[in-house]
Amino acid sequence: MSEKPLKILEKMTDLDTGSPCNWCPGCGDFGILVALKQALFELKIDPENTMIVSGIGCGSQAPHLIKVYGFHSLHGRALPVATAMKMANHKMNVIVIGGDGDGYGIGMAHFIHTARRNFDITYIVQNNQVYGLTKGQTSPTSDKGFKTKSTPEGVLEIAIRPLGVSIVAGATFAARGFAGDVMHLKDLIKQGIQHKGFSHIDALQPCVTFNKVNTYQWYQQRIYKLEKEEGYDPTNRAMALQKAEEWGDRIAVGVYYKEERPTYIDELPQLKDKALVDYDPADVDFAATLQNYF
Ligand code: SF4
Ligand code: MG
């Protein structure tokens, strides 16, 4: 989180933009949006020191709907954009939001590398197991056998287990929430923003139009909370990886894994005292720097 709040939110509606939203009635993206706004409000974040970056997809409309700085980027490229922003001004809160097709398909390489670099970025994935914006084709989290217009005989591949990917890649905070339990998801997002390092939050998001299998009811029959699971230790990596494999009759929500590790910026002595944007180019001796290359 940023250290110096400049402008304090007085009420949650201070985050409203008034922009129109074209999500289908009942879409899980609404629950995730409310959870994120509530989290930002409760943390008293400074809107003028906060950036939300998205990719492309239904849910990637989110930056238009929250009154902080926003950047609606390219398909699968939200994390590199966010990384550049964090490098330029690491004192800014940077939150990334996008779908499963965007982040676990097209942007998968960026997901892995941002996790291992441990940038202090919060990444929320609206996971609905389809490419919703383009009318419901199969995505990397679609279960084997799931039928869509692009796979009328059923998906042949096995599904990605995204929390396992992020934990193996080096994410220092990995959690899963559910769009149908807004308050629980809000608490996870708050923890993710407060965590210093790369925090990945997989948000299960029913797509009421194109996914008739993974519905609100389907999830409600399976979901249980990790914090109530006796003996579960989120600092135990082996335990977290085993839990990340679980999918089917039981699906856990909560914090799967967390650890403390220096962030990428922590390892850069040049940025120890001030952010890159705070340096005056007139104070930099470019000629001396260029001499090193000739
Ligand atoms: Fe939401 Fe699915 Fe409609 Fe997109 S198509 S807005 S994901 S319900
Ligand atoms: Mg999707």
Side-chain angles (χ1 to χ4, degrees), residues 83-130:
T83 297
M85 287 169 180
K86 200 71 188 177
M87 283 294 283
N89 186 0
H90 65 270
K91 295 185 177 171
M92 190 165 238
N93 303 310
V94 179
I95 297 159
V96 179
I97 190 161
D100 47 313
D102 187 80
Y104 302 150
I106 293 166
M108 177 53 105
H110 301 307
F111 176 47
I112 290 170
H113 293 294
T114 313
R116 77 187 178 88
R117 289 172 185 139
N118 199 29
F119 268 93
D120 187 15
I121 290 172
T122 304
Y123 184 32
I124 302 165
V125 182
Q126 302 141 313
N127 182 2
N128 59 13
Q129 290 110 310
V130 288

mmCIF file of all heavy atoms in Angstrom, residues 83-130:
data_model
loop_
_atom_site.group_PDB
_atom_site.id
_atom_site.type_symbol
_atom_site.label_atom_id
_atom_site.label_comp_id
_atom_site.label_asym_id
_atom_site.label_seq_id
_atom_site.Cartn_x
_atom_site.Cartn_y
_atom_site.Cartn_z
ATOM 1 N N THR A 83 3.279 -3.497 -14.281
ATOM 2 C CA THR A 83 4.679 -3.583 -13.864
ATOM 3 C C THR A 83 5.417 -2.288 -14.184
ATOM 4 O O THR A 83 6.169 -1.750 -13.358
ATOM 5 C CB THR A 83 5.366 -4.769 -14.580
ATOM 6 O OG1 THR A 83 4.733 -5.979 -14.166
ATOM 7 C CG2 THR A 83 6.844 -4.850 -14.259
ATOM 8 N N ALA A 84 5.181 -1.763 -15.389
ATOM 9 C CA ALA A 84 5.836 -0.507 -15.787
ATOM 10 C C ALA A 84 5.398 0.628 -14.867
ATOM 11 O O ALA A 84 6.216 1.466 -14.459
ATOM 12 C CB ALA A 84 5.494 -0.184 -17.236
ATOM 13 N N MET A 85 4.117 0.642 -14.517
ATOM 14 C CA MET A 85 3.634 1.701 -13.617
ATOM 15 C C MET A 85 4.278 1.587 -12.244
ATOM 16 O O MET A 85 4.641 2.583 -11.618
ATOM 17 C CB MET A 85 2.119 1.600 -13.470
ATOM 18 C CG MET A 85 1.412 2.073 -14.717
ATOM 19 S SD MET A 85 -0.306 1.665 -14.660
ATOM 20 C CE MET A 85 -0.809 2.341 -16.233
ATOM 21 N N LYS A 86 4.415 0.361 -11.784
ATOM 22 C CA LYS A 86 5.016 0.153 -10.457
ATOM 23 C C LYS A 86 6.490 0.553 -10.476
ATOM 24 O O LYS A 86 7.005 1.097 -9.485
ATOM 25 C CB LYS A 86 4.849 -1.322 -10.063
ATOM 26 C CG LYS A 86 4.974 -1.588 -8.589
ATOM 27 C CD LYS A 86 3.790 -1.068 -7.803
ATOM 28 C CE LYS A 86 4.026 -1.167 -6.315
ATOM 29 N NZ LYS A 86 2.905 -0.603 -5.534
ATOM 30 N N MET A 87 7.172 0.287 -11.585
ATOM 31 C CA MET A 87 8.577 0.693 -11.700
ATOM 32 C C MET A 87 8.692 2.213 -11.700
ATOM 33 O O MET A 87 9.590 2.786 -11.094
ATOM 34 C CB MET A 87 9.185 0.148 -13.003
ATOM 35 C CG MET A 87 9.534 -1.313 -12.977
ATOM 36 S SD MET A 87 10.858 -1.694 -11.826
ATOM 37 C CE MET A 87 12.279 -1.140 -12.754
ATOM 38 N N ALA A 88 7.772 2.876 -12.404
ATOM 39 C CA ALA A 88 7.845 4.336 -12.523
ATOM 40 C C ALA A 88 7.486 5.012 -11.205
ATOM 41 O O ALA A 88 8.073 6.029 -10.842
ATOM 42 C CB ALA A 88 6.917 4.820 -13.629
ATOM 43 N N ASN A 89 6.512 4.466 -10.509
ATOM 44 C CA ASN A 89 6.088 5.062 -9.229
ATOM 45 C C ASN A 89 5.651 3.964 -8.276
ATOM 46 O O ASN A 89 4.469 3.623 -8.190
ATOM 47 C CB ASN A 89 4.939 6.050 -9.452
ATOM 48 C CG ASN A 89 4.584 6.772 -8.165
ATOM 49 O OD1 ASN A 89 5.198 6.537 -7.114
ATOM 50 N ND2 ASN A 89 3.605 7.643 -8.245
ATOM 51 N N HIS A 90 6.620 3.414 -7.557
ATOM 52 C CA HIS A 90 6.316 2.258 -6.712
ATOM 53 C C HIS A 90 5.527 2.645 -5.468
ATOM 54 O O HIS A 90 5.098 1.777 -4.714
ATOM 55 C CB HIS A 90 7.590 1.489 -6.340
ATOM 56 C CG HIS A 90 8.545 2.260 -5.494
ATOM 57 N ND1 HIS A 90 9.537 3.034 -6.026
ATOM 58 C CD2 HIS A 90 8.666 2.365 -4.156
ATOM 59 C CE1 HIS A 90 10.244 3.584 -5.053
ATOM 60 N NE2 HIS A 90 9.719 3.203 -3.898
ATOM 61 N N LYS A 91 5.335 3.960 -5.255
ATOM 62 C CA LYS A 91 4.542 4.367 -4.096
ATOM 63 C C LYS A 91 3.045 4.328 -4.407
ATOM 64 O O LYS A 91 2.219 4.565 -3.537
ATOM 65 C CB LYS A 91 4.973 5.748 -3.636
ATOM 66 C CG LYS A 91 6.404 5.705 -3.122
ATOM 67 C CD LYS A 91 6.893 6.974 -2.533
ATOM 68 C CE LYS A 91 8.313 6.746 -2.008
ATOM 69 N NZ LYS A 91 8.947 7.974 -1.615
ATOM 70 N N MET A 92 2.710 4.039 -5.625
ATOM 71 C CA MET A 92 1.314 3.994 -6.027
ATOM 72 C C MET A 92 0.734 2.598 -5.759
ATOM 73 O O MET A 92 1.409 1.581 -5.926
ATOM 74 C CB MET A 92 1.254 4.302 -7.521
ATOM 75 C CG MET A 92 -0.119 4.519 -8.056
ATOM 76 S SD MET A 92 -0.047 5.286 -9.678
ATOM 77 C CE MET A 92 -0.991 6.756 -9.392
ATOM 78 N N ASN A 93 -0.540 2.543 -5.316
ATOM 79 C CA ASN A 93 -1.232 1.248 -5.209
ATOM 80 C C ASN A 93 -1.573 0.806 -6.627
ATOM 81 O O ASN A 93 -2.230 1.560 -7.354
ATOM 82 C CB ASN A 93 -2.557 1.395 -4.451
ATOM 83 C CG ASN A 93 -2.363 1.991 -3.064
ATOM 84 O OD1 ASN A 93 -1.522 1.534 -2.305
ATOM 85 N ND2 ASN A 93 -3.151 3.014 -2.741
ATOM 86 N N VAL A 94 -1.143 -0.368 -7.016
ATOM 87 C CA VAL A 94 -1.453 -0.856 -8.361
ATOM 88 C C VAL A 94 -2.243 -2.160 -8.249
ATOM 89 O O VAL A 94 -1.780 -3.131 -7.633
ATOM 90 C CB VAL A 94 -0.174 -1.057 -9.209
ATOM 91 C CG1 VAL A 94 -0.532 -1.598 -10.588
ATOM 92 C CG2 VAL A 94 0.579 0.263 -9.354
ATOM 93 N N ILE A 95 -3.437 -2.144 -8.836
ATOM 94 C CA ILE A 95 -4.332 -3.300 -8.802
ATOM 95 C C ILE A 95 -4.648 -3.674 -10.248
ATOM 96 O O ILE A 95 -4.936 -2.806 -11.075
ATOM 97 C CB ILE A 95 -5.628 -2.939 -8.043
ATOM 98 C CG1 ILE A 95 -5.297 -2.607 -6.587
ATOM 99 C CG2 ILE A 95 -6.660 -4.075 -8.128
ATOM 100 C CD1 ILE A 95 -6.353 -1.788 -5.888
ATOM 101 N N VAL A 96 -4.596 -4.963 -10.537
ATOM 102 C CA VAL A 96 -4.894 -5.440 -11.884
ATOM 103 C C VAL A 96 -6.129 -6.322 -11.815
ATOM 104 O O VAL A 96 -6.282 -7.119 -10.882
ATOM 105 C CB VAL A 96 -3.699 -6.233 -12.464
ATOM 106 C CG1 VAL A 96 -4.019 -6.760 -13.855
ATOM 107 C CG2 VAL A 96 -2.459 -5.357 -12.508
ATOM 108 N N ILE A 97 -7.023 -6.173 -12.783
ATOM 109 C CA ILE A 97 -8.218 -7.008 -12.816
ATOM 110 C C ILE A 97 -8.466 -7.461 -14.258
ATOM 111 O O ILE A 97 -8.276 -6.693 -15.195
ATOM 112 C CB ILE A 97 -9.424 -6.247 -12.207
ATOM 113 C CG1 ILE A 97 -10.615 -7.183 -12.014
ATOM 114 C CG2 ILE A 97 -9.812 -5.026 -13.014
ATOM 115 C CD1 ILE A 97 -11.647 -6.659 -11.016
ATOM 116 N N GLY A 98 -8.853 -8.712 -14.416
ATOM 117 C CA GLY A 98 -9.110 -9.237 -15.759
ATOM 118 C C GLY A 98 -9.632 -10.650 -15.659
ATOM 119 O O GLY A 98 -9.665 -11.243 -14.581
ATOM 120 N N GLY A 99 -10.018 -11.198 -16.786
ATOM 121 C CA GLY A 99 -10.634 -12.523 -16.784
ATOM 122 C C GLY A 99 -9.653 -13.670 -16.881
ATOM 123 O O GLY A 99 -8.438 -13.474 -16.982
ATOM 124 N N ASP A 100 -10.209 -14.896 -16.870
ATOM 125 C CA ASP A 100 -9.389 -16.108 -16.942
ATOM 126 C C ASP A 100 -8.789 -16.290 -18.339
ATOM 127 O O ASP A 100 -7.624 -16.693 -18.473
ATOM 128 C CB ASP A 100 -10.207 -17.347 -16.547
ATOM 129 C CG ASP A 100 -11.553 -17.395 -17.235
ATOM 130 O OD1 ASP A 100 -12.259 -16.372 -17.254
ATOM 131 O OD2 ASP A 100 -11.919 -18.457 -17.769
ATOM 132 N N GLY A 101 -9.548 -15.966 -19.376
ATOM 133 C CA GLY A 101 -8.988 -16.066 -20.726
ATOM 134 C C GLY A 101 -7.858 -15.068 -20.893
ATOM 135 O O GLY A 101 -6.807 -15.375 -21.462
ATOM 136 N N ASP A 102 -8.075 -13.887 -20.382
ATOM 137 C CA ASP A 102 -7.085 -12.807 -20.476
ATOM 138 C C ASP A 102 -5.801 -13.155 -19.722
ATOM 139 O O ASP A 102 -4.698 -13.026 -20.249
ATOM 140 C CB ASP A 102 -7.727 -11.537 -19.891
ATOM 141 C CG ASP A 102 -6.870 -10.296 -20.074
ATOM 142 O OD1 ASP A 102 -6.892 -9.731 -21.174
ATOM 143 O OD2 ASP A 102 -6.197 -9.910 -19.106
ATOM 144 N N GLY A 103 -5.967 -13.607 -18.466
ATOM 145 C CA GLY A 103 -4.795 -13.796 -17.601
ATOM 146 C C GLY A 103 -4.182 -15.177 -17.637
ATOM 147 O O GLY A 103 -2.956 -15.330 -17.563
ATOM 148 N N TYR A 104 -5.023 -16.216 -17.744
ATOM 149 C CA TYR A 104 -4.489 -17.586 -17.682
ATOM 150 C C TYR A 104 -4.261 -18.168 -19.082
ATOM 151 O O TYR A 104 -3.708 -19.257 -19.221
ATOM 152 C CB TYR A 104 -5.454 -18.504 -16.923
ATOM 153 C CG TYR A 104 -5.784 -18.084 -15.498
ATOM 154 C CD1 TYR A 104 -7.019 -18.405 -14.930
ATOM 155 C CD2 TYR A 104 -4.869 -17.392 -14.714
ATOM 156 C CE1 TYR A 104 -7.331 -18.043 -13.630
ATOM 157 C CE2 TYR A 104 -5.179 -17.021 -13.418
ATOM 158 C CZ TYR A 104 -6.410 -17.349 -12.867
ATOM 159 O OH TYR A 104 -6.721 -16.990 -11.580
ATOM 160 N N GLY A 105 -4.770 -17.464 -20.115
ATOM 161 C CA GLY A 105 -4.562 -17.916 -21.490
ATOM 162 C C GLY A 105 -3.572 -17.002 -22.171
ATOM 163 O O GLY A 105 -2.355 -17.211 -22.138
ATOM 164 N N ILE A 106 -4.103 -15.914 -22.714
ATOM 165 C CA ILE A 106 -3.273 -15.000 -23.507
ATOM 166 C C ILE A 106 -2.136 -14.397 -22.674
ATOM 167 O O ILE A 106 -1.026 -14.238 -23.153
ATOM 168 C CB ILE A 106 -4.177 -13.908 -24.122
ATOM 169 C CG1 ILE A 106 -5.098 -14.566 -25.158
ATOM 170 C CG2 ILE A 106 -3.365 -12.805 -24.770
ATOM 171 C CD1 ILE A 106 -6.261 -13.730 -25.605
ATOM 172 N N GLY A 107 -2.411 -14.095 -21.409
ATOM 173 C CA GLY A 107 -1.383 -13.445 -20.590
ATOM 174 C C GLY A 107 -0.636 -14.375 -19.656
ATOM 175 O O GLY A 107 0.010 -13.918 -18.707
ATOM 176 N N MET A 108 -0.683 -15.682 -19.898
ATOM 177 C CA MET A 108 -0.108 -16.632 -18.927
ATOM 178 C C MET A 108 1.376 -16.389 -18.648
ATOM 179 O O MET A 108 1.829 -16.457 -17.503
ATOM 180 C CB MET A 108 -0.341 -18.071 -19.408
ATOM 181 C CG MET A 108 0.273 -19.130 -18.507
ATOM 182 S SD MET A 108 -0.217 -18.957 -16.765
ATOM 183 C CE MET A 108 -1.394 -20.286 -16.572
ATOM 184 N N ALA A 109 2.155 -16.089 -19.694
ATOM 185 C CA ALA A 109 3.595 -15.887 -19.461
ATOM 186 C C ALA A 109 3.819 -14.672 -18.558
ATOM 187 O O ALA A 109 4.675 -14.699 -17.665
ATOM 188 C CB ALA A 109 4.338 -15.692 -20.782
ATOM 189 N N HIS A 110 3.027 -13.633 -18.753
ATOM 190 C CA HIS A 110 3.172 -12.440 -17.905
ATOM 191 C C HIS A 110 2.793 -12.758 -16.458
ATOM 192 O O HIS A 110 3.397 -12.255 -15.513
ATOM 193 C CB HIS A 110 2.296 -11.305 -18.432
ATOM 194 C CG HIS A 110 2.615 -10.911 -19.828
ATOM 195 N ND1 HIS A 110 3.894 -10.576 -20.228
ATOM 196 C CD2 HIS A 110 1.841 -10.802 -20.941
ATOM 197 C CE1 HIS A 110 3.886 -10.274 -21.516
ATOM 198 N NE2 HIS A 110 2.662 -10.410 -21.970
ATOM 199 N N PHE A 111 1.783 -13.590 -16.301
ATOM 200 C CA PHE A 111 1.323 -13.998 -14.960
ATOM 201 C C PHE A 111 2.470 -14.688 -14.211
ATOM 202 O O PHE A 111 2.807 -14.344 -13.069
ATOM 203 C CB PHE A 111 0.122 -14.923 -15.152
ATOM 204 C CG PHE A 111 -0.468 -15.551 -13.924
ATOM 205 C CD1 PHE A 111 -0.727 -14.808 -12.791
ATOM 206 C CD2 PHE A 111 -0.803 -16.904 -13.922
ATOM 207 C CE1 PHE A 111 -1.304 -15.402 -11.666
ATOM 208 C CE2 PHE A 111 -1.384 -17.500 -12.816
ATOM 209 C CZ PHE A 111 -1.623 -16.753 -11.679
ATOM 210 N N ILE A 112 3.105 -15.617 -14.862
ATOM 211 C CA ILE A 112 4.205 -16.371 -14.234
ATOM 212 C C ILE A 112 5.370 -15.442 -13.873
ATOM 213 O O ILE A 112 5.884 -15.468 -12.750
ATOM 214 C CB ILE A 112 4.676 -17.503 -15.180
ATOM 215 C CG1 ILE A 112 3.596 -18.586 -15.258
ATOM 216 C CG2 ILE A 112 6.021 -18.078 -14.738
ATOM 217 C CD1 ILE A 112 3.838 -19.625 -16.328
ATOM 218 N N HIS A 113 5.758 -14.601 -14.817
ATOM 219 C CA HIS A 113 6.954 -13.777 -14.570
ATOM 220 C C HIS A 113 6.689 -12.650 -13.568
ATOM 221 O O HIS A 113 7.589 -12.265 -12.818
ATOM 222 C CB HIS A 113 7.513 -13.245 -15.898
ATOM 223 C CG HIS A 113 8.060 -14.354 -16.746
ATOM 224 N ND1 HIS A 113 9.159 -15.093 -16.378
ATOM 225 C CD2 HIS A 113 7.611 -14.900 -17.902
ATOM 226 C CE1 HIS A 113 9.391 -16.029 -17.290
ATOM 227 N NE2 HIS A 113 8.461 -15.929 -18.225
ATOM 228 N N THR A 114 5.476 -12.130 -13.535
ATOM 229 C CA THR A 114 5.181 -11.090 -12.536
ATOM 230 C C THR A 114 5.181 -11.716 -11.144
ATOM 231 O O THR A 114 5.635 -11.105 -10.171
ATOM 232 C CB THR A 114 3.825 -10.414 -12.820
ATOM 233 O OG1 THR A 114 3.754 -10.085 -14.209
ATOM 234 C CG2 THR A 114 3.655 -9.134 -12.017
ATOM 235 N N ALA A 115 4.685 -12.946 -11.058
ATOM 236 C CA ALA A 115 4.678 -13.638 -9.762
ATOM 237 C C ALA A 115 6.104 -13.885 -9.270
ATOM 238 O O ALA A 115 6.438 -13.618 -8.114
ATOM 239 C CB ALA A 115 3.924 -14.962 -9.889
ATOM 240 N N ARG A 116 6.980 -14.349 -10.136
ATOM 241 C CA ARG A 116 8.331 -14.694 -9.657
ATOM 242 C C ARG A 116 9.143 -13.457 -9.330
ATOM 243 O O ARG A 116 10.036 -13.484 -8.489
ATOM 244 C CB ARG A 116 9.053 -15.623 -10.640
ATOM 245 C CG ARG A 116 9.617 -14.999 -11.857
ATOM 246 C CD ARG A 116 10.155 -16.045 -12.837
ATOM 247 N NE ARG A 116 10.656 -15.415 -14.031
ATOM 248 C CZ ARG A 116 11.905 -14.982 -14.160
ATOM 249 N NH1 ARG A 116 12.780 -15.160 -13.197
ATOM 250 N NH2 ARG A 116 12.279 -14.399 -15.276
ATOM 251 N N ARG A 117 8.803 -12.325 -9.965
ATOM 252 C CA ARG A 117 9.506 -11.067 -9.643
ATOM 253 C C ARG A 117 8.994 -10.465 -8.346
ATOM 254 O O ARG A 117 9.603 -9.563 -7.788
ATOM 255 C CB ARG A 117 9.313 -10.056 -10.780
ATOM 256 C CG ARG A 117 10.080 -10.440 -12.016
ATOM 257 C CD ARG A 117 9.746 -9.553 -13.195
ATOM 258 N NE ARG A 117 10.426 -10.045 -14.376
ATOM 259 C CZ ARG A 117 9.897 -10.105 -15.590
ATOM 260 N NH1 ARG A 117 8.671 -9.674 -15.806
ATOM 261 N NH2 ARG A 117 10.588 -10.600 -16.589
ATOM 262 N N ASN A 118 7.851 -10.931 -7.914
ATOM 263 C CA ASN A 118 7.237 -10.441 -6.670
ATOM 264 C C ASN A 118 7.051 -8.928 -6.668
ATOM 265 O O ASN A 118 7.397 -8.244 -5.706
ATOM 266 C CB ASN A 118 8.051 -10.902 -5.441
ATOM 267 C CG ASN A 118 7.225 -10.817 -4.160
ATOM 268 O OD1 ASN A 118 6.003 -10.939 -4.175
ATOM 269 N ND2 ASN A 118 7.888 -10.600 -3.041
ATOM 270 N N PHE A 119 6.497 -8.434 -7.760
ATOM 271 C CA PHE A 119 6.102 -7.019 -7.767
ATOM 272 C C PHE A 119 4.958 -6.826 -6.786
ATOM 273 O O PHE A 119 4.097 -7.695 -6.636
ATOM 274 C CB PHE A 119 5.669 -6.587 -9.177
ATOM 275 C CG PHE A 119 6.798 -6.021 -9.965
ATOM 276 C CD1 PHE A 119 7.548 -6.826 -10.795
ATOM 277 C CD2 PHE A 119 7.119 -4.678 -9.845
ATOM 278 C CE1 PHE A 119 8.612 -6.298 -11.511
ATOM 279 C CE2 PHE A 119 8.185 -4.143 -10.555
ATOM 280 C CZ PHE A 119 8.927 -4.952 -11.379
ATOM 281 N N ASP A 120 4.930 -5.688 -6.126
ATOM 282 C CA ASP A 120 3.881 -5.399 -5.136
ATOM 283 C C ASP A 120 2.605 -4.956 -5.874
ATOM 284 O O ASP A 120 2.236 -3.780 -5.883
ATOM 285 C CB ASP A 120 4.383 -4.310 -4.176
ATOM 286 C CG ASP A 120 3.411 -4.081 -3.032
ATOM 287 O OD1 ASP A 120 2.531 -4.928 -2.823
ATOM 288 O OD2 ASP A 120 3.544 -3.040 -2.357
ATOM 289 N N ILE A 121 1.964 -5.931 -6.493
ATOM 290 C CA ILE A 121 0.764 -5.694 -7.311
ATOM 291 C C ILE A 121 -0.305 -6.677 -6.853
ATOM 292 O O ILE A 121 0.008 -7.827 -6.542
ATOM 293 C CB ILE A 121 1.100 -5.940 -8.811
ATOM 294 C CG1 ILE A 121 2.019 -4.841 -9.339
ATOM 295 C CG2 ILE A 121 -0.166 -6.056 -9.659
ATOM 296 C CD1 ILE A 121 2.546 -5.112 -10.744
ATOM 297 N N THR A 122 -1.548 -6.229 -6.808
ATOM 298 C CA THR A 122 -2.664 -7.130 -6.490
ATOM 299 C C THR A 122 -3.357 -7.519 -7.792
ATOM 300 O O THR A 122 -3.766 -6.641 -8.559
ATOM 301 C CB THR A 122 -3.678 -6.415 -5.563
ATOM 302 O OG1 THR A 122 -2.978 -5.966 -4.403
ATOM 303 C CG2 THR A 122 -4.805 -7.351 -5.160
ATOM 304 N N TYR A 123 -3.453 -8.813 -8.048
ATOM 305 C CA TYR A 123 -4.026 -9.290 -9.316
ATOM 306 C C TYR A 123 -5.301 -10.094 -9.044
ATOM 307 O O TYR A 123 -5.254 -11.182 -8.475
ATOM 308 C CB TYR A 123 -2.985 -10.163 -10.034
ATOM 309 C CG TYR A 123 -3.401 -10.648 -11.415
ATOM 310 C CD1 TYR A 123 -4.222 -9.877 -12.231
ATOM 311 C CD2 TYR A 123 -2.968 -11.872 -11.902
ATOM 312 C CE1 TYR A 123 -4.592 -10.317 -13.489
ATOM 313 C CE2 TYR A 123 -3.322 -12.315 -13.174
ATOM 314 C CZ TYR A 123 -4.145 -11.528 -13.963
ATOM 315 O OH TYR A 123 -4.512 -11.965 -15.205
ATOM 316 N N ILE A 124 -6.438 -9.525 -9.452
ATOM 317 C CA ILE A 124 -7.731 -10.189 -9.261
ATOM 318 C C ILE A 124 -8.172 -10.777 -10.605
ATOM 319 O O ILE A 124 -8.258 -10.053 -11.603
ATOM 320 C CB ILE A 124 -8.797 -9.173 -8.777
ATOM 321 C CG1 ILE A 124 -8.343 -8.504 -7.469
ATOM 322 C CG2 ILE A 124 -10.157 -9.850 -8.612
ATOM 323 C CD1 ILE A 124 -9.142 -7.259 -7.108
ATOM 324 N N VAL A 125 -8.429 -12.075 -10.618
ATOM 325 C CA VAL A 125 -8.858 -12.716 -11.863
ATOM 326 C C VAL A 125 -10.327 -13.119 -11.758
ATOM 327 O O VAL A 125 -10.708 -13.908 -10.902
ATOM 328 C CB VAL A 125 -7.985 -13.947 -12.188
ATOM 329 C CG1 VAL A 125 -8.432 -14.570 -13.518
ATOM 330 C CG2 VAL A 125 -6.523 -13.548 -12.271
ATOM 331 N N GLN A 126 -11.134 -12.543 -12.629
ATOM 332 C CA GLN A 126 -12.567 -12.870 -12.701
ATOM 333 C C GLN A 126 -12.677 -14.179 -13.504
ATOM 334 O O GLN A 126 -12.697 -14.179 -14.722
ATOM 335 C CB GLN A 126 -13.317 -11.739 -13.403
ATOM 336 C CG GLN A 126 -13.152 -10.380 -12.711
ATOM 337 C CD GLN A 126 -13.018 -9.245 -13.707
ATOM 338 O OE1 GLN A 126 -12.250 -9.343 -14.667
ATOM 339 N NE2 GLN A 126 -13.739 -8.159 -13.501
ATOM 340 N N ASN A 127 -12.745 -15.278 -12.770
ATOM 341 C CA ASN A 127 -12.623 -16.609 -13.388
ATOM 342 C C ASN A 127 -14.008 -17.223 -13.624
ATOM 343 O O ASN A 127 -14.639 -17.728 -12.700
ATOM 344 C CB ASN A 127 -11.772 -17.482 -12.449
ATOM 345 C CG ASN A 127 -11.539 -18.873 -13.004
ATOM 346 O OD1 ASN A 127 -11.966 -19.210 -14.115
ATOM 347 N ND2 ASN A 127 -10.855 -19.699 -12.227
ATOM 348 N N ASN A 128 -14.452 -17.181 -14.882
ATOM 349 C CA ASN A 128 -15.781 -17.738 -15.209
ATOM 350 C C ASN A 128 -15.711 -18.940 -16.154
ATOM 351 O O ASN A 128 -16.725 -19.385 -16.689
ATOM 352 C CB ASN A 128 -16.706 -16.653 -15.779
ATOM 353 C CG ASN A 128 -16.128 -16.018 -17.037
ATOM 354 O OD1 ASN A 128 -15.177 -16.523 -17.614
ATOM 355 N ND2 ASN A 128 -16.714 -14.912 -17.455
ATOM 356 N N GLN A 129 -14.519 -19.433 -16.406
ATOM 357 C CA GLN A 129 -14.277 -20.634 -17.212
ATOM 358 C C GLN A 129 -14.685 -20.516 -18.684
ATOM 359 O O GLN A 129 -14.812 -21.529 -19.368
ATOM 360 C CB GLN A 129 -14.934 -21.882 -16.600
ATOM 361 C CG GLN A 129 -14.248 -22.329 -15.325
ATOM 362 C CD GLN A 129 -15.117 -22.095 -14.110
ATOM 363 O OE1 GLN A 129 -15.648 -21.004 -13.925
ATOM 364 N NE2 GLN A 129 -15.264 -23.098 -13.284
ATOM 365 N N VAL A 130 -14.919 -19.293 -19.151
ATOM 366 C CA VAL A 130 -15.202 -19.070 -20.583
ATOM 367 C C VAL A 130 -14.618 -17.720 -21.014
ATOM 368 O O VAL A 130 -14.297 -16.889 -20.170
ATOM 369 C CB VAL A 130 -16.726 -19.033 -20.898
ATOM 370 C CG1 VAL A 130 -17.356 -20.405 -20.791
ATOM 371 C CG2 VAL A 130 -17.457 -18.010 -20.048
#
